[in-house]
Amino acid sequence: MQKAIISVKNLVKKYGDFEAVKGISFDVFEGEIFGLLGPNGAGKSTTLEIIETLRTKTAGEVFVDGFNLDESPNDIKKIIGVQLQTSGYYPALNLTELIHLFAGLYNRNVNALELLDKVNLRDKAKNKFKELSGGQKQRFSIATTLINEPKIIFLDEPTTGLDPQARRNLWELVRDIRSKGTTVIITTHYMDEAEILCDRVAIVDSGTIIALNTPDHLVDELVDSGFERPKEVKKANLEDVFIHLTGKALRDE
Ligand code: ADP
Ligand code: MG
């Protein structure tokens, strides 16, 4: 039996009369990569931001590493890493300075170059955030989530808008972070990504969880129900062609 590091019970969020999250319950296990999938407006970001202590809930209970969100939000803040919206970075500071700024906020000492190394940005240490490519920006914002050595990190659509190489590079980074024991919650619109990266996924639709299991189990369940693809699938797809022709190496350096 795996240990739940996050437990969400009957979570409800109303914006005025509109119920964006309709009494969802799920556990995230320690050390897993957990995916929240669902169409735009399903309630994924709302759910994440409530767990992150950044948004109030209407009803329900949330426990993070044993801390009750209602009683100990500050204890929760200390053990989580949250990716900021990328517009939130001071434009005049370089990456090293930004890391020191964040470290100061967390009251931590960090080796900025070591941290930048982890996300493959050591050679950009003196560059400003706005000088980075899309993939580099995402990697840097993931680096900032690691400053307080969190037990859990939250990544809300970290690969949206990235080219295929940058996306694969980010998967490596997420796997690397998890391999050190960090639990990862991630949202994505890319099903190939969820299938490759996530140990378990919850599919959210209109504020309700309509499926929750390993990707493998969900696919088997669909196949067992008699589902068949309309035509035989080719052994490669256009993305395979793209990667084959342009190579796996990062292009945004
Ligand atoms: P997702 O991240 O799955 O795309 P969100 O959690 O951002 O979904 O939004 C869920 C629903 O709640 C959407 O219909 C959205 O318009 C609504 N919503 C989100 N934030 C607010 C807010 N601050 N005020 C009113 N409605 C909101
Ligand atoms: Mg969202």
Side-chain angles (χ1 to χ4, degrees):
M1 186 61 196
Q2 303 197 64
K3 187 190 158 207
I5 194 162
I6 295 176
S7 230
V8 173
K9 299 182 200 299
N10 305 314
L11 181 68
V12 175
K13 175 64 179 183
K14 285 187 184 172
Y15 296 110
D17 287 339
F18 175 69
E19 206 173 37
V21 177
K22 299 180 177 135
I24 63 173
S25 301
F26 63 94
D27 286 344
V28 176
F29 300 142
E30 192 161 37
E32 77 174 334
I33 302 176
F34 186 88
L36 271 185
L37 314 179
N40 284 326
K44 304 178 298 294
S45 297
T46 299
T47 301
L48 290 191
E49 286 171 18
I50 290 169
I51 302 169
E52 292 161 1
T53 79
L54 300 177
R55 232 176 247 247
T56 59
K57 58 183 166 60
T58 306
E61 286 185 305
V62 175
F63 296 89
V64 180
D65 201 27
F67 295 115
N68 185 335
L69 175 69
D70 292 324
E71 293 159 7
S72 318
N74 289 328
D75 291 308
I76 293 176
K77 275 179 202 159
K78 281 181 200 148
I79 57 158
I80 64 171
V82 176
Q83 220 184 342
L84 282 185
Q85 294 300 311
T86 50
S87 55
Y89 297 112
Y90 291 88
L93 301 182
N94 70 36
L95 301 192
T96 308
E97 291 163 338
L98 281 170
I99 285 176
H100 286 137
L101 175 77
F102 281 108
L105 297 177
Y106 284 117
N107 221 352
R108 292 258 178 172
N109 274 320
V110 287
N111 183 328
L113 280 183
E114 216 169 81
L115 187 61
L116 289 172
D117 223 12
K118 274 190 198 165
V119 296
N120 211 356
L121 285 176
R122 182 187 269 264
D123 55 339
K124 300 285 173 188
K126 297 292 172 220
N127 283 83
K128 300 197 166 65
F129 181 76
K130 64 173 184 214
E131 293 164 355
L132 303 179
S133 71
Q136 291 168 340
K137 281 180 175 156
Q138 285 296 343
R139 298 209 302 278
F140 179 72
S141 77
I142 290 177
T144 66
T145 72
L146 301 175
I147 286 172
N148 61 333
E149 296 171 40
K151 289 189 177 179
I152 310 165
I153 61 167
F154 294 81
L155 307 176
D156 199 350
E157 295 188 32
T159 60
T160 295
L162 299 189
D163 72 38
Q165 282 91 354
R167 211 155 68 93
R168 278 168 173 67
N169 187 262
L170 216 83
W171 300 348
E172 288 307 310
L173 176 59
V174 170
R175 285 208 194 94
D176 198 46
I177 291 168
R178 189 272 289 280
S179 74
K180 311 250 160 47
T182 311
T183 305
V184 179
I185 304 191
I186 185 167
T187 72
T188 178
H189 289 299
Y190 303 111
M191 293 306 121
D192 61 332
E193 177 167 304
E195 202 167 348
I196 288 170
L197 206 53
C198 297
D199 297 301
R200 294 188 310 143
V201 297
I203 301 179
V204 189
D205 195 16
S206 304
T208 306
I209 292 180
I210 54 175
L212 196 168
N213 217 310
T214 63
D216 205 38
H217 185 100
L218 292 173
V219 171
D220 286 347
E221 227 171 37
L222 180 66
V223 172
D224 289 347
S225 77
F227 176 89
E228 276 180 50
R229 283 210 171 132
K231 59 175 184 183
E232 212 207 312
V233 182
K234 291 185 187 173
K235 289 191 175 126
N237 61 23
L238 188 58
E239 175 145 332
D240 295 323
V241 174
F242 181 91
I243 292 286
H244 181 73
L245 292 176
T246 63
K248 283 203 172 66
L250 270 178
R251 289 303 181 79
D252 57 3
E253 307 305 326

